[in-house]
Amino acid sequence: MDKYDVIVVGAGHAGIEAALASARMGAKTLIFVIKIETIGRMSCNPSMGGPAKGHLAREIDALGGEIGRAADLTGIQFRMLNKKKGPAVWAPRSQNDRTLYSIQMHETLESQTGLEIKESIIDEILLSKDRKKVTGVKSNLGEKYFAPKVILANGTFLRGKVHVGKVNYSSGRAGEPAAEKLSDSLIKAGLHLERFKTGTPPRIDLRTVNYSKVDEQPGDENPQGFSFYRDIKLNNTVSCYLTFTNRKTHEIIKSNLNKSSLYGGYISGVGPRYCPSIEDKVVKFSKKERHQVFIEPEGKNTFEGYVNGVSNSLPPDVQKKMIATIPGLEKAAIIRYGYAIEYDYIVPDEIKATMETKKIKGLYLTGQINGTSGYEEAAAQGISAGINAVLSLDKKDPVYFDRSESYLGVLIDDLVTKGTNEPYRLFTSRAEYRLHLRQDNADERMMPTGYKLGLVEDTRWQKFKKMKEVHNREMEFLKRTTCKISKDLKEPTKYINLLKRPEISFDDLTKYGYKIPDDVTEDIKNRLSLEVKYEGYLKRQLAEIENFEKLEHTNIPENIDYMKIESIAYEAREKLNKIQPTSLGQASRISGVNHTDISSLMIYLKKNKLLKKG
Amino acid sequence: MEYRNDTICAISTPPGISGVALIRVSGNKSIEIVSEILKSKKPFKTAKSHTIQFGLIIDGKQVIDEVYVSIFKTPRSYTGEDVVEITCHGNTFIANQILELLLQKARLAEPGEFTQRAFFNNKIDLTQAEAVGDLINAKTKKSHQAAIEQLEGSLHHKIEELLNQLTEYRTLIELEIDFLEQDVPDIDIKQLGKDLQNLLRELKYLSSTGDEGLILKEGLKVSLVGAPNVGKSSIFNAFLKTERAIVTPIPGTTRDYLEEAIALRGYLVRFFDTAGLRETSDHLEMLGIQRSYEIIKNSHKVLFIIDGKENNQEFEKLKQLVEPDKIIKVLNKADLFSIDKLKVFENKGFVTCSTVEKTGLKKLKDFLIKNIRISDEELHSGILNNTRQIAAVKRSISSLDKAIKSIKNDLGFEFTAFDLKEASSALEEVIGKITTDDILNQIFENFCIGK
């Protein structure tokens, strides 16, 4: 019999992080993938990061995950977005070599001790007799694999159905088989499944693009990546290109709407509003005369290009005609057609913040299966599931990521507390404490936890500690030391007061006698300047966080029968029963639960001596 | 109602006539906050628990009142937190001034919040706890209902409108931050700065109607300023004789000013005869003048009275103390001047009157209530008419101010967004609206997002 500590089903961005975290924390781990070549496949655009998503990738990296490292190693173009906005929303983004990324992740999984890879389709989860615990999984070949912890990371493969015009077929991703039977097994286990849809644009041969008609978007001069303390050499080897649709494009789409899977009525799933198909854009924003189209190279060793902006489910001949109307793409040869995909997801009120299902002990759900979208969102859930599965195995307290500490916390809390009615994507505006959750300080926020869990190697930890040391030393120096007089100063002042001035940069301090020691890196200079210049705002944010923490750390025990608490409004009782919040803070964020209900809940808990400060 | 343990304060005695008034402060910063406005023999910060200190409440250099301050350190206090109780003279005016000073660092307590804290800190037992539960429920529901009822009128709409505007601006900023690569209209940051200025003006107007709402409730405070013998007292008395004098809820104590109140065309008008703002070396007189400063500063109107002689020094001081539109310049003893001479004064903006011949008094009365813009009707239809609402609008104003500065200083959109969110939350408090953040919905509805 094949026995493991943790089984992970699916080796996409969620599954990889789950399996690596699990193995790195010492659990005997098995990961299933339908096709070995597709490990870590970037099935949407070949790009990582952007606002909130880049922040998330940095956090996962600091926690000891793999996504940032792989993105840095396989990046072919790097840009820091939002550079013109403020520092809290600067967001790293990369274009990646799709094939290299997969190979990189495959190698990482293979070289991980304690981790076994198996190519197989999983049809069934195995349950204990009372059906309250998971015991393992069964493959389509009838083999059984046993583990007390099973992490499902199936992505869009659950009863995945690809649509191109009127044609549709069962598939988890174009050209790959779906997981047809697993859904039945999950429904049988009592889980609530719904359907979402998403889509992709066509891919073209870059040799057929007329570059004189498109705008080049090069990478940054000083590329910055995602990973902390790994000293990866980043390379800008390609550019992206921008062009636009026009009236002709829109006319073709409008006159062929009935042939589109979406508008022809072939799709029932709900799609994401932030990532609409070109059909949707043309119909819903009919006044807009043009829409952006980005041409993104897929890698160094291929001429394939991703035509970002024209995701659709039109039949091939219409796709061809439509693409040919776009300046620069008149003669573009399509390599793969765009398609829409419908898939099952499990309504996220089925899971706890540890990613474990409420109904079945030991079963964890992570990634797109929970109704999210995006590589980074998937990876974040993956690492959280991996960590918590092993902690639970070791009978240790779970790790909760809270909203004031990380985007990871915002993501998971949104999912389990508020749910989602469209494929969920992270935005910086979802974070209440955005000024604190910056990409530059992700290491300070996450690394201590990662190190404690054994996910961050000692060499990186030492570098982090060194950074902190230098940072603290310099901050003290700035506070304590008076500068030398200069012409533009009436009287000498402390360096910190100089740095507070908007027009004075860290390097400018040398004009006032500050000798910057060699170990003060650009990164440390940035951190110091930011903390000094925005001190007022950061303090106000921290005060808000302090208030937030009070409620957040007032824990609610498990298994409370809310229906019995009559002082709470009926609707709120139902909601509370379903979500089973772990803290008063979480309870207060459930829609339909108001302040009065929270007061009543506090009193109930207090009366029954259930109120505990966490 | 939220559960925080920041420092809160409130006047605990009912308003109106009383020997003393009590202001309670609770929370981990209460001792520090009070120590900043208290001048006492021994440093208040090191005072022992369960002791009483005598001292002066000061606003900068200005003495507000002589007070007794009791200190109860955690956990041996009503709420279980550090509690400071300030006992001042039983004058709503003074108690409010002290409260305002505290509010610079502390937050105004919600109804029942002291008791609530006592409950969560195990200071009251289970049966009491249930009563508190009911209380909280009742208060929340009631205040919510009250908020709706009170504000059903035009003001409610006004605030909703302002909130909608804020949401629109916030949406634009979030769009810039989260959807920068989208083909959405670029934000016109200069225009936004202008729009925010307009919004600020509207909020300030709103806050001023709130102040006027308070005038209707607590009376219009009018102080009389002028050199000795210009006839302040005779004007003072003339008002009292011609209008119905009423008993004021504020006792005219032993202070160095006279206070009388009259009902003037439906408004409660309270007159304060002050010692003026002159320089003096006389110690006693100086004390009186110090009090005058406070009264004048808190007046809605100031009658600056002369009898023909220039009194520039005092007028300049007055202008520094109050906004110019609060000052009404009065020439008394008009009977002593020729008509031509009077014209000269009138052209300089003086209201001329004579208490001897009883002329000009009506005009003076008109001037007093001329600028009260709110009608009784409006008051009933809902106006910012309590300190809590006014405080919330003022907080909104302060956040909006910061937002405008953040744009001016080119700080970064996320900081402006932070300020605007604060401004929104404060306004939401006024109308008792609890919103979930729907900025993203706004974005998806109004802009074509997505590659």
Side-chain angles (χ1 to χ4, degrees), chain A residues 88 292 537 599 606-607, chain B residues 3 122 130 174 181 414 419:
Chain A
Q292 286 181 323
Y537 278 94
S599 305
K606 178 94 180 167
K607 235 174 96 173
Chain B
Y3 301 89
N122 294 315
E130 277 175 311
E174 295 300 340
E181 286 222 300
E414 69 269 39
D419 292 324

Side-chain angles (χ1 to χ4, degrees), chain A residues 102-117:
Chain A
S102 272
I103 293 171
Q104 172 60 37
M105 280 305 193
H106 189 180
E107 278 176 16
T108 307
L109 291 187
E110 278 186 334
S111 58
Q112 178 60 50
T113 340
L115 177 62
E116 205 179 307
I117 309 170

Side-chain angles (χ1 to χ4, degrees), chain A residues 13-15 17-18 60 67 366-367 374-384:
Chain A
H13 307 280
E17 299 293 357
I60 299 165
I67 192 170
T366 176
Y375 314 141
E376 304 85 349
E377 285 89 342
Q381 296 169 64
I383 198 167
S384 172

Side-chain angles (χ1 to χ4, degrees), chain A residues 82 85-86 88 93 274 276 281 288 292 308-309 428-429 434 534 537 540 550 595-596 599 606-607, chain B residues 1 3 5 122 130 133 137 174 176-179 181 183 411 413-415 419 422 441 449-451:
Chain A
N82 270 342
K85 320 267 154 67
R93 185 178 192 271
Y274 51 83
K281 290 189 209 174
K288 213 161 183 263
Q292 286 181 323
N308 206 342
T428 72
S429 51
R434 181 162 64 187
Y534 297 97
Y537 278 94
R540 277 155 76 196
K550 305 255 154 63
H595 292 317
T596 316
S599 305
K606 178 94 180 167
K607 235 174 96 173
Chain B
M1 193 178 283
Y3 301 89
N5 76 350
N122 294 315
E130 277 175 311
N137 282 340
E174 295 300 340
E176 281 285 321
I177 295 173
D178 269 334
F179 303 95
E181 286 222 300
D183 185 22
L411 279 192
F413 291 172
E414 69 269 39
F415 300 100
D419 292 324
E422 255 185 16
N441 285 329
I449 293 300
K451 287 184 181 172

Side-chain angles (χ1 to χ4, degrees), chain B residues 23-43:
Chain B
I23 300 156
R24 185 180 274 157
V25 192
S26 177
N28 53 4
K29 295 225 170 91
S30 56
I31 296 171
E32 185 189 321
I33 291 171
V34 172
S35 73
E36 280 170 24
I37 60 165
L38 182 73
K39 210 171 143 187
S40 54
K41 257 192 188 163
K42 283 184 242 159

Side-chain angles (χ1 to χ4, degrees), chain A residues 268 324 486 545 547 550 568 572 613:
Chain A
S268 54
S486 162
I545 290 176
N547 274 331
K550 305 255 154 63
I568 298 180
K613 291 276 170 196

Side-chain angles (χ1 to χ4, degrees), chain B residues 21-175:
Chain B
L22 184 90
I23 300 156
R24 185 180 274 157
V25 192
S26 177
N28 53 4
K29 295 225 170 91
S30 56
I31 296 171
E32 185 189 321
I33 291 171
V34 172
S35 73
E36 280 170 24
I37 60 165
L38 182 73
K39 210 171 143 187
S40 54
K41 257 192 188 163
K42 283 184 242 159
F44 184 63
K45 269 191 180 172
T46 53
K48 281 186 187 157
S49 184
H50 293 75
T51 57
I52 296 178
Q53 319 282 319
F54 173 76
L56 299 172
I57 294 288
I58 47 167
D59 178 8
K61 283 180 185 163
Q62 303 290 330
V63 176
I64 307 270
D65 197 15
E66 298 166 338
V67 295
Y68 284 105
V69 184
S70 320
I71 183 165
F72 307 93
K73 287 190 180 170
T74 177
R76 288 169 60 212
S77 71
Y78 177 66
T79 60
E81 303 171 331
D82 283 343
V83 169
V84 178
E85 291 181 351
I86 303 171
T87 308
C88 64
H89 286 94
N91 179 323
T92 320
F93 202 18
I94 289 169
N96 269 325
Q97 264 179 278
I98 298 174
L99 186 68
E100 265 171 42
L101 280 178
L102 291 169
L103 284 175
Q104 291 172 3
K105 294 279 168 67
R107 177 170 60 79
L108 195 62
E110 305 278 336
E113 199 171 1
F114 288 110
T115 313
Q116 191 192 16
R117 288 182 177 203
F119 163 62
F120 287 113
N121 290 321
N122 294 315
K123 302 302 286 190
I124 44 182
D125 67 20
L126 281 181
T127 39
Q128 282 171 299
E130 277 175 311
V132 174
D134 291 340
L135 179 77
I136 294 171
N137 282 340
K139 289 267 181 184
T140 321
K141 275 178 198 153
K142 241 192 196 161
S143 61
H144 183 64
Q145 197 188 353
I148 291 170
E149 274 175 16
Q150 246 181 30
L151 294 167
E152 204 121 328
S154 57
L155 192 79
H156 187 265
H157 292 302
K158 184 78 214 164
I159 288 188
E160 289 231 305
E161 195 187 300
L162 294 172
L163 265 174
N164 285 343
Q165 276 183 46
L166 267 175
T167 305
E168 195 184 303
Y169 303 144
R170 290 175 60 200
T171 304
L172 285 177
I173 291 181
E174 295 300 340
L175 198 62

